[in-house]
Amino acid sequence: MGIIALALLAGCSSRSKKTMDSEKNYPALNVQNMDTTINPGDDFYDYVNGNWIKNHPVPADKNSISAFDELAERNREEIKGIVEEAAADKNAEPGSAAQKIGTFYNTGMDTVSIEKEGTTPVDKYLAMIDAIKNISDLQSVAALFQTFHAGPFFYLFSNQDSKNSASVIAGCYQAGLGLPDRDYYFNNDGPTKKLREEYVAHLEKMFELLKDSPVVAKENAQTVMKIETELAKASFTRVENQDPQKTYNKFDIAGLNSLAPNIGWEAYFTRTGYPDIKEVNIYQPSFFKELSKMMKTVSINDWKTFLRWHFINAAAPYLSQDFVKENFDFYGNKLSGQEEMKPRWKRVLDETSADLGELIGQLYVKKYFPPEAKKRMTEMVMNLKKSLRQRIENLTWMGPKTKEEAVAKLDKMGVKVGYPDKWRDYSGLEITYQPYVLNVLNAQNFDFRYSMDKIGKPVDPTEWGMTPQTVNAYYNPNRNEIVFPAGILQPPFFNMNADDAVNYGAIGMVIGHEMTHGFDNMGRQFDKNGNLRDWWTKEDSRAFEEHTKMLVDQYNKYKVLDSTYVNGQLTLGENIADLGGITVALNAYKLSREGKEPPKPIDGFTDLQRFFLSYAQIWRMNMRDKELRRRVKTDEHSPAKIRINGVVYNVPDFYKAFPQVKPGDKLYRPADERPVIW
Ligand SMILES: [Zn+2]
């Protein structure tokens, strides 16, 4: 559960790597991608990416295409090499990395066995649901399913205690919805209403695949929809879930039993294998209260139906083709607009890379991550830190007392680059030649235990929240650290052969973005030690809120599709990080140029121009409308185009770089309407 990590982009499922060859040939900036017929003051994003956008329609097996995606594809090819080598090794020692990776992948590619087996590998779990007689049976089965991430009611995991970051406690987080957000159950715009109908039809089909008669399948679909709608009503909104105070509610067992008396907490924890849990953070108390009530008001038969759906939904992508196809038809096609499934090898490879992440990561960095990249990246991070420090010291809206705390927090911010110093131990994970779905469930169980085993133990400072091959980055507020996996340290984000302006506009901005998360509307509530503690004076808090309110209002006005607008509050943290990221990176670039001659223009563009071109270029993207709608509801990041246009017109140096941008241009913004936050 990436609940508290603030990532650079959503869906950290893209996995990556690097060849020195592809890097050598990668242009610092590709001016062919630009559409210079567009006035940069009217639409900077289209000015930089217009030709690329025209020439890169979304492929049938994707819901978007982007610079991230291009890099992820190059990475995937490299991971494929690693995995296929393991898969071909017939003599791999049992329990070795090669044996685990190879066997996992081979069982996923063994479609003959998978088709022949149908649901047989999971029949024992379906039989457990059938045998449920009462609420305590129901909770026992749900708890068991929890141990392989198929728990239908809520997520159970461990996390650092937000008010005592040195200790690790259990957390319970709302779940139980088959649609991606509570809003899908209530919004009454045309596309959402249609999607609800399609969801019910999907539920029906899944029950038919489980051999229910059409009449029963129809009733069952309605039952699930009814239960999920009630759970959705009690669920926190995404904006509420961003509030670290509101989601901090520590309970002991007696407290849990009075908050939600019908959950059977002790028996539940015992069944998951963790009977000694004493303290739990309940992220959404109202949800658990309602769930507890529903334990009495919903019939056992209806709960069994709900459980069957959630179990089969979790298993479907790893079963026979009829399940895989129906699952894709709703979640891939109807929800996101993807026309075709990704080829099987990609799906299995991505699953292998996710479930055996650091096993593959070790081989990946050995082969593809050059030590000089780590060195250069670490230097850049230090420059960015110096830059942000200077920005904080010079802020006019913040007083000296708060500044002192802010600088202390920045100084203490940890930095991880490339890959972990200590690798995760996979010796407890057994992968055998058994049905693929069982290997996946087994890996998920390993992951569940890995998280839960941390409770009550000291925090491991070497641990990473993303695999090294991931094309992404994050800030973790409980640890006050920024992390950059090897996967993102490649072109176009990080290009060893590009001019500094281009690198500062790309990876420099990424570094600044992650750093700023320590000081966005959520991050600022944590102190230098990762504790939720208010270190702000009242006046400075008020000033921060006034400035960020300007951003909320600006983003609320960006239209995405017909009647769909950006949610300025949901995306606020990311928008602050984008604006802070570009500002801090630009200042760092200027610091790096002090006492040097200005570089000569390249391809007719000054270094300052190239900085902004580089920034806009890394966010080039085409996305299907359906996926865009889904993102606006669920993603705390603004759509790509707005991550550029929402930012540059707020940056004074942008107008210096492009003096042709003038009042009267479509997106020109007068100086007094440009917020200065960091
Ligand atoms: Zn971010």
Side-chain angles (χ1 to χ4, degrees):
M1 286 294 302
I3 285 162
I4 46 125
L6 297 152
L8 181 67
L9 73 166
C12 21
S13 58
S14 35
R15 280 120 200 156
S16 163
K17 125 27 213 180
K18 128 202 274 157
T19 55
M20 292 313 284
D21 273 359
S22 71
E23 180 159 315
K24 246 176 233 152
N25 301 329
Y26 205 96
L29 269 184
N30 192 345
V31 293
Q32 308 297 324
N33 288 342
M34 298 177 68
D35 181 350
T36 49
T37 65
I38 292 171
N39 173 9
D42 287 341
D43 189 329
F44 189 64
Y45 176 85
D46 277 1
Y47 166 74
V48 179
N49 298 313
N51 269 343
W52 183 92
I53 288 166
K54 258 175 255 159
N55 297 325
H56 292 79
V58 181
D61 66 346
K62 294 182 192 293
N63 50 38
S64 67
I65 184 162
S66 63
F68 278 92
D69 186 67
E70 290 171 357
L71 175 51
E73 285 296 334
R74 299 205 306 275
N75 242 17
R76 205 186 250 133
E77 285 298 327
E78 281 154 1
I79 295 169
K80 188 184 183 204
I82 291 169
V83 170
E84 283 187 343
E85 195 180 312
D89 185 353
K90 298 274 177 288
N91 303 315
E93 203 182 306
S96 64
Q99 181 271 319
K100 285 175 188 177
I101 296 166
T103 305
F104 192 98
Y105 184 74
N106 284 334
T107 60
M109 294 304 287
D110 183 357
T111 50
V112 173
S113 301
I114 292 169
E115 289 313 310
K116 204 168 67 197
E117 285 153 357
T119 60
T120 317
V122 296
D123 278 351
K124 64 174 173 183
Y125 297 114
L126 295 167
M128 282 181 196
I129 301 172
D130 271 348
I132 291 171
K133 296 272 182 299
N134 52 43
I135 285 290
S136 87
D137 292 351
L138 172 80
Q139 288 166 351
S140 174
V141 174
L144 175 72
F145 289 3
Q146 181 97 68
T147 67
F148 38 79
H149 291 331
F153 299 131
F154 53 88
Y155 301 109
L156 173 64
F157 53 92
S158 75
N159 206 355
Q160 280 165 269
D161 183 337
S162 281
K163 290 191 180 169
N164 176 19
S165 66
S167 101
V168 180
I169 61 169
C172 288
Y173 200 98
Q174 69 189 21
L177 307 185
L179 288 166
D181 188 83
R182 72 188 295 287
D183 286 358
Y184 280 92
Y185 295 84
F186 310 115
N187 287 1
N188 275 324
D189 57 281
T192 309
K193 268 159 91 175
K194 180 157 178 251
L195 211 51
R196 272 202 295 277
E197 282 162 23
E198 289 167 335
Y199 179 55
V200 172
H202 169 60
L203 293 168
E204 264 181 66
K205 283 186 198 142
M206 291 297 272
F207 283 115
E208 284 182 30
L209 288 175
L210 287 175
K211 307 278 188 300
D212 290 358
S213 72
V215 176
V216 172
K218 211 179 182 87
E219 283 170 17
N220 285 345
Q222 293 300 336
T223 300
V224 169
M225 195 58 182
K226 189 164 167 275
I227 295 177
E228 289 191 0
T229 307
E230 278 183 55
L231 291 173
K233 241 179 255 166
S235 297
F236 275 20
T237 64
R238 278 177 196 263
V239 169
E240 288 173 307
N241 277 329
Q242 288 180 338
D243 184 338
Q245 293 287 358
K246 197 166 182 179
T247 51
Y248 186 83
N249 309 283
K250 225 159 74 165
F251 288 91
D252 59 13
I253 299 289
L256 287 178
N257 285 331
S258 90
L259 172 80
N262 307 324
I263 306 280
W265 292 98
E266 281 170 294
Y268 194 96
F269 293 146
T270 301
R271 185 70 168 114
T272 63
Y274 295 87
D276 298 329
I277 293 176
K278 298 272 180 292
E279 275 186 323
V280 182
N281 185 39
I282 297 288
Y283 286 77
Q284 304 88 3
S286 60
F287 174 87
F288 287 85
K289 254 187 197 167
E290 179 62 26
L291 178 65
S292 174
K293 262 191 227 155
M294 286 168 68
M295 288 293 157
K296 291 263 152 106
T297 55
V298 175
S299 74
I300 284 293
N301 273 337
D302 286 357
W303 276 130
K304 287 165 75 168
T305 300
F306 175 79
L307 203 50
R308 272 172 92 216
W309 151 243
H310 280 278
F311 178 77
I312 205 63
N313 189 34
Y318 319 106
L319 293 175
S320 47
Q321 198 60 6
D322 42 357
F323 285 93
V324 174
K325 265 195 181 148
E326 180 53 38
N327 180 68
F328 169 79
D329 184 64
F330 181 73
Y331 288 105
N333 178 268
K334 302 282 195 313
L335 195 60
S336 293
Q338 195 173 319
E339 288 161 9
E340 289 170 14
M341 253 185 273
K342 277 188 283 184
R344 183 163 193 94
W345 74 263
K346 285 191 184 178
R347 285 178 276 136
V348 177
L349 190 78
D350 289 354
E351 190 62 38
T352 312
S353 184
D355 290 343
L356 303 174
E358 287 193 18
L359 271 189
I360 290 175
Q362 288 175 55
L363 302 170
Y364 168 83
V365 295
K366 227 184 257 169
K367 221 168 164 172
Y368 298 116
F369 186 59
E372 61 270 26
K374 186 163 181 163
K375 191 169 162 280
R376 185 151 167 202
M377 180 67 181
T378 307
E379 278 167 21
M380 264 185 101
V381 174
M382 293 310 138
N383 289 348
L384 265 288
K385 264 194 163 183
K386 209 164 81 186
S387 162
L388 177 53
R389 190 191 172 111
Q390 192 184 63
R391 297 272 325 165
I392 292 171
E393 283 164 350
N394 292 333
L395 283 177
T396 53
W397 59 263
M398 187 187 261
K401 204 171 154 276
T402 313
K403 278 184 183 177
E404 207 178 295
E405 290 260 13
V407 167
K409 179 169 182 180
L410 177 65
D411 285 345
K412 216 178 166 200
M413 189 179 281
V415 180
K416 289 174 175 168
V417 174
Y419 54 91
D421 292 333
K422 195 182 92 198
W423 293 102
R424 184 170 160 187
D425 176 11
Y426 284 81
S427 57
L429 174 60
E430 214 187 323
I431 302 292
T432 60
Y433 213 99
Q434 61 174 342
Y436 178 48
V437 64
L438 297 183
N439 272 334
V440 172
L441 295 182
N442 199 15
Q444 285 172 354
N445 175 256
F446 179 73
D447 206 52
F448 172 77
R449 286 184 286 122
Y450 175 74
S451 173
M452 296 298 286
D453 285 347
K454 289 188 259 187
I455 295 170
K457 301 209 181 96
V459 174
D460 176 1
T462 66
E463 191 187 34
W464 279 52
M466 281 180 184
T467 68
Q469 59 271 36
T470 305
V471 184
N472 208 337
Y474 68 91
Y475 172 75
N476 181 333
N478 289 140
R479 291 176 182 237
N480 188 27
E481 68 177 8
I482 46 178
V483 183
F484 306 94
I488 199 169
L489 303 180
Q490 325 180 54
F493 299 94
F494 178 75
N495 189 339
M496 294 285 278
N497 302 301
D499 46 311
D500 279 351
V502 163
N503 273 322
Y504 274 90
I507 197 72
M509 181 275 167
V510 171
I511 299 166
H513 173 104
E514 298 307 338
M515 274 181 189
T516 306
H517 272 316
F519 304 94
D520 70 14
N521 53 326
M522 293 159 271
R524 78 176 186 95
Q525 301 183 52
F526 293 82
D527 68 12
K528 63 180 178 183
N529 297 316
N531 285 315
L532 193 51
R533 174 179 72 83
D534 189 3
W535 44 271
W536 292 62
T537 64
K538 281 218 164 54
E539 307 76 70
D540 291 338
S541 260
R542 207 176 307 125
F544 178 88
E545 265 151 29
E546 272 164 29
H547 289 259
T548 54
K549 172 85 171 43
M550 281 172 82
L551 267 195
V552 175
D553 293 343
Q554 284 180 8
Y555 280 79
N556 275 337
K557 293 196 184 90
Y558 287 111
K559 192 170 173 172
V560 183
L561 281 167
D562 40 71
S563 62
T564 304
Y565 287 79
V566 173
N567 181 340
Q569 189 59 47
L570 176 66
T571 55
L572 178 60
E574 293 300 331
N575 299 334
I576 294 171
D578 280 346
L579 178 57
I582 202 76
T583 307
V584 175
L586 184 59
N587 187 50
Y589 175 67
K590 286 184 188 167
L591 290 175
S592 80
R593 297 299 312 168
E594 266 174 7
K596 294 180 191 159
E597 286 288 300
K600 289 208 172 65
I602 303 175
D603 297 328
F605 294 104
T606 67
D607 60 332
L608 202 54
Q609 288 177 327
R610 288 170 68 78
F611 174 89
F612 286 104
L613 295 177
S614 175
Y615 170 52
Q617 186 196 254
I618 61 173
W619 292 107
R620 62 183 185 260
M621 184 180 290
N622 273 316
M623 188 177 272
R624 294 183 191 280
D625 287 356
K626 285 186 177 180
E627 175 67 0
L628 203 47
R629 274 183 221 287
R630 186 183 74 80
R631 294 291 187 107
V632 170
K633 276 199 174 70
T634 60
D635 189 352
E636 65 273 27
H637 304 86
S638 297
K641 180 172 187 155
I642 293 152
R643 291 189 78 166
I644 302 309
N645 287 347
V647 170
V648 294
Y649 300 101
N650 279 330
V651 179
D653 276 297
F654 174 73
Y655 298 89
K656 281 190 204 149
F658 296 93
Q660 66 268 50
V661 177
K662 287 271 175 345
D665 289 352
K666 279 190 197 140
L667 294 176
Y668 177 89
R669 187 166 279 141
D672 62 347
E673 292 173 18
R674 302 173 200 156
V676 176
I677 301 169
W678 295 107

